Amino acid sequence: MNYKKMEVENHEPNKGYLVPIIVAIALGAGIWVGTLFTPKITGGGNPIVENTNKFNTILELIEDKYVDTVNNDLLIESAIEGMIKKLDPHSAYIPPQDLEAVNEQLNGNFGGVGIRFLIHNDSLVATHVLAGSPSEKAGMMPGDRIIEIDDTTFTGWDIKNSDVQNYLKGEAGSDVKVKVYRKGEEKILKITRGSIPISSIDAAVMLDDEVGFIKLNSFTYNSANEFHSAAAQLKEKGMKKLIFDLRNNGGGLMSAATDIADEFLESGKLIVYTEGRKRPKEEYYSSSKGILEDTEVIILINSLSASASEIVAGAIQDNDRGLIMGRRSFGKGLVQDQSEFTDGSALRLTISRYYTPTGRSIQKPYGEDVDYESDYYDRYLSGELMNEDSIKKDESLKYITEGGRTVYGGGGIYPDQFVPNDTVGASYYLSDLYYKNVFNHFAIDVLDQKRESFNNFDAFKQHFQVSSTMFEKFIAYAGTLGVEEDPIDIVTSRSTIKNRIKAEIARHVWLENGYYLVYLQEDLDVQTALSKFHSGKSLFSEL
């Protein structure tokens, strides 16, 4: 493929919200933003004797002469962490106590009972019982109060999520005894733990007769198969166009990204290539197996779409295969290899950079002179999240695709069509409702009284309305959870609050598909994408 590189500037916007929650969201995504793996490669190497001896000598001096008793293992781990921090933002040392949880996310499963729960009014509520799970087989139902686990009382004390996980998670095949309270009766259930899948698909639904919607939350070992299955099911329902939501998806396995991109591309198209100081250039091409090669696609991205998400968006964009919409992505173009040690710890070491088909490196700048962690907040302050004109582009990093589209490198994937961050209905009061999980708790109270009446989603979506009475009850209920009333904010956020109440009730009954079918009715990015599909024009017109 002959791609031309030209001089121009880098430009792109991102998604901003209220100042108090921006930093929290960005930091919360930091773990996933640091993951993008190639298959593990092992190799021998000669130890650097001088440095090894110096390090050991210092430890021995501390052991022999230091004024207080020290923990050598802690010193060694601290030294390793300090050394890795001098490399790049995404190389990392993972202590033994953290590795299992990290690997669970990538493996896409864990040993457990198969419920989602919420600590509600000092009791443990099973909000969802996964279909086919050990809990469903044992007879547990949504709304059950779990009052004992293995003879330990789970009411009347300050229960933490970690307490519940410590008791319910465990090796597949092991047993756990649970006592539940349901409609005035107590029942004892014996549950044999199983391997519980962690789905990377949040939702896969039809938004209308032709347009499907798939939201992917991460790239795990199972993601490509899950995506293929979801897409196949939507095609059976008549899908001809797809909105593929990669917003807030911090990445994961590169193999999952290339397999998913392959679904859209005809055979022989370059998806991505990698190259490093000790790694020769390696190219990844599409095959003929894709089931979405004739499906129009719009991919949604934002500031927290990173690594594997950017590989997919870059491949679709550079091959002129679909439209990228939203705000500039995170800008993580480094590939890590994970080496695990006998003590249960691991090292994630950056071994190469990845490049999109046109040759773009989308890794944003890093180093001692760059405040890497503040990038998201800087985008907010600059106005980039709201105004496309506020985005600065590097004139030396302009590329032209074979189809003649202009794309940019140097700090994330720049969307073909900018959509400003949606602040309609936003307020500090609404942020506090989210922070204190009020919608979730309120939905449980509603369903405790009338769960049986919610048995048909289409009827619910079309006819259920949050009445003024229910809205006022919600505001009063929020007050009991510590959300202070703000009359101006309540008026500002009224429509959004009603939408979220309805969406959360739908989530508790019809899981994530139900939630998103309600929630997306007020999602600016999705509604803009739908308008683009319904305009009757080519996706690439007016670009």
Side-chain angles (χ1 to χ4, degrees):
M1 299 179 190
N2 296 316
Y3 294 103
K4 294 178 289 182
K5 182 178 177 182
M6 297 180 59
E7 302 265 30
V8 90
E9 70 171 9
N10 232 346
H11 207 65
E12 167 77 1
N14 217 308
K15 187 163 189 169
Y17 205 50
L18 298 176
V19 175
I21 64 172
I22 286 177
V23 175
I25 294 174
L27 292 177
I31 295 175
W32 273 112
V33 164
T35 62
L36 178 63
F37 304 115
T38 57
K40 183 176 178 181
I41 302 172
T42 57
N46 295 321
I48 304 173
V49 176
E50 218 175 56
N51 289 347
T52 301
N53 285 344
K54 182 184 289 186
F55 184 73
N56 288 339
T57 300
I58 291 173
L59 283 176
E60 289 172 3
L61 288 170
I62 292 172
E63 179 76 21
D64 291 341
K65 297 183 177 183
Y66 187 65
V67 63
D68 294 320
T69 302
V70 296
N71 184 328
N72 276 356
D73 290 340
L74 182 61
L75 285 179
I76 292 170
E77 294 213 347
S78 298
I80 293 170
E81 289 172 353
M83 177 171 56
I84 299 303
K85 285 181 180 178
K86 292 294 184 180
L87 300 177
D88 67 84
H90 300 293
S91 291
Y93 171 74
I94 307 170
Q97 64 269 23
D98 297 334
L99 184 59
E100 181 180 356
V102 170
N103 283 343
E104 276 181 0
Q105 292 297 319
L106 286 175
N107 291 334
N109 61 73
F110 65 94
V113 299
I115 66 166
R116 297 181 191 175
F117 62 85
L118 180 70
I119 299 165
H120 177 72
N121 296 340
D122 294 325
S123 67
L124 182 59
V125 181
T127 59
H128 304 88
V129 179
L130 303 184
S133 68
S135 290
E136 185 186 58
K137 293 174 183 176
M140 190 175 293
M141 298 178 64
D144 281 355
R145 264 58 173 178
I146 299 174
I147 57 178
E148 282 186 12
I149 304 175
D150 280 341
D151 299 322
T152 297
T153 300
F154 267 77
T155 59
W157 55 283
D158 186 19
I159 306 168
K160 301 289 192 301
N161 286 342
S162 58
D163 298 320
V164 182
Q165 292 172 357
N166 288 339
Y167 273 82
L168 291 181
K169 289 179 67 175
E171 189 174 338
S174 60
D175 293 332
V176 59
K177 184 177 70 172
V178 172
K179 182 187 287 187
V180 302
Y181 177 84
R182 181 191 307 157
K183 294 181 179 180
E185 296 183 9
E186 294 181 359
K187 298 178 182 291
I188 294 178
L189 308 176
K190 180 182 176 182
I191 305 173
T192 300
R193 296 183 180 94
S195 180
I196 307 302
I198 304 173
S199 178
S200 56
I201 301 287
D202 278 344
V205 295
M206 293 295 295
L207 300 181
D208 58 32
D209 291 341
E210 289 190 342
V211 181
F213 172 87
I214 296 177
K215 181 170 180 60
L216 190 76
N217 60 52
S218 59
F219 290 81
T220 71
Y221 285 108
N222 301 325
S223 294
N225 288 335
E226 291 172 351
F227 179 82
H228 180 93
S229 177
Q233 291 175 23
L234 293 184
K235 287 192 71 175
E236 289 179 1
K237 296 178 180 178
M239 180 180 72
K240 295 181 176 60
K241 304 173 184 180
L242 173 64
I243 298 172
F244 186 21
D245 190 353
L246 293 177
R247 293 173 298 175
N248 304 320
N249 184 325
L253 295 170
M254 191 172 77
S255 58
T258 56
D259 285 346
I260 288 174
D262 193 4
E263 297 286 2
F264 296 97
L265 299 171
E266 63 184 34
S267 180
K269 295 292 186 179
L270 181 61
I271 296 173
V272 67
Y273 68 90
T274 62
E275 194 168 13
R277 183 175 67 90
K278 292 289 188 177
R279 305 288 176 181
K281 182 177 182 180
E282 187 170 3
E283 298 176 323
Y284 298 81
Y285 287 89
S286 58
S287 68
S288 59
K289 68 179 183 180
I291 65 169
L292 297 174
E293 293 178 9
D294 298 322
T295 302
E296 292 185 58
V297 61
I298 292 175
I299 294 181
L300 303 180
I301 60 172
N302 66 6
S303 299
L304 298 180
S305 304
S307 64
S309 292
E310 294 170 302
I311 285 179
V312 174
I316 298 303
Q317 189 176 53
D318 285 10
N319 283 292
D320 301 301
R321 178 59 189 83
L323 192 70
I324 311 302
M325 186 178 288
R327 292 153 296 284
R328 179 164 62 102
S329 65
F330 182 87
K332 195 268 186 185
L334 303 175
V335 183
Q336 284 74 49
D337 174 64
Q338 182 165 303
S339 299
E340 298 185 4
F341 304 108
T342 56
D343 67 348
S345 62
L347 175 66
R348 285 182 182 170
L349 191 64
T350 296
I351 59 171
S352 59
R353 297 175 184 270
Y354 76 78
Y355 299 85
T356 70
T358 57
R360 293 184 287 164
S361 169
I362 54 84
Q363 174 63 44
K364 63 186 179 183
Y366 63 87
E368 292 186 0
D369 298 330
V370 177
D371 190 352
Y372 197 81
E373 300 300 328
S374 297
D375 176 65
Y376 190 96
Y377 187 59
D378 292 341
R379 297 186 194 193
Y380 172 80
L381 291 179
S382 72
E384 177 181 336
L385 306 179
M386 299 301 299
N387 301 294
E388 187 172 9
D389 292 340
S390 298
I391 305 165
K392 298 177 181 179
K393 295 179 179 177
D394 185 340
E395 294 187 0
S396 68
L397 298 173
K398 178 179 179 179
Y399 296 76
I400 303 297
T401 70
E402 284 189 344
R405 298 161 71 195
T406 301
V407 294
Y408 296 94
I413 296 292
Y414 294 78
D416 300 301
Q417 182 171 332
F418 171 72
V419 183
N421 181 50
D422 186 8
T423 58
V424 175
S427 68
Y428 287 98
Y429 181 80
L430 180 64
S431 297
D432 209 12
L433 293 176
Y434 287 135
Y435 179 73
K436 293 189 168 68
N437 211 4
V438 179
F439 295 104
N440 205 350
H441 287 285
F442 186 74
I444 289 176
D445 278 1
V446 170
L447 290 169
D448 277 346
Q449 301 171 30
K450 52 179 70 175
R451 183 180 293 270
E452 291 76 12
S453 65
F454 297 119
N455 51 30
N456 183 295
F457 177 76
D458 290 335
F460 172 84
K461 182 185 176 186
Q462 185 173 353
H463 301 297
F464 178 82
Q465 299 292 331
V466 176
S467 65
S468 296
T469 300
M470 177 176 282
F471 183 82
E472 295 304 324
K473 285 182 178 179
F474 175 84
I475 299 301
Y477 181 80
T480 68
L481 296 182
V483 182
E484 185 177 349
E485 287 192 30
D486 184 318
I488 294 177
D489 277 5
I490 290 172
V491 171
T492 299
S493 301
R494 186 181 184 89
S495 176
T496 303
I497 291 171
K498 285 188 171 186
N499 172 271
R500 300 303 186 270
I501 292 171
K502 182 174 179 177
E504 199 60 54
I505 292 171
R507 191 207 302 267
H508 278 260
V509 180
W510 296 284
L511 301 179
E512 302 305 304
N513 280 354
Y515 173 84
Y516 278 98
L517 280 170
V518 175
Y519 167 78
L520 295 178
Q521 292 176 311
E522 293 197 2
D523 185 304
L524 178 61
D525 293 335
V526 171
Q527 294 305 315
T528 303
L530 275 172
S531 296
K532 188 73 174 179
F533 275 140
H534 293 155
S535 68
K537 300 178 181 178
S538 163
L539 288 183
F540 305 120
S541 64
E542 302 174 6
L543 289 184

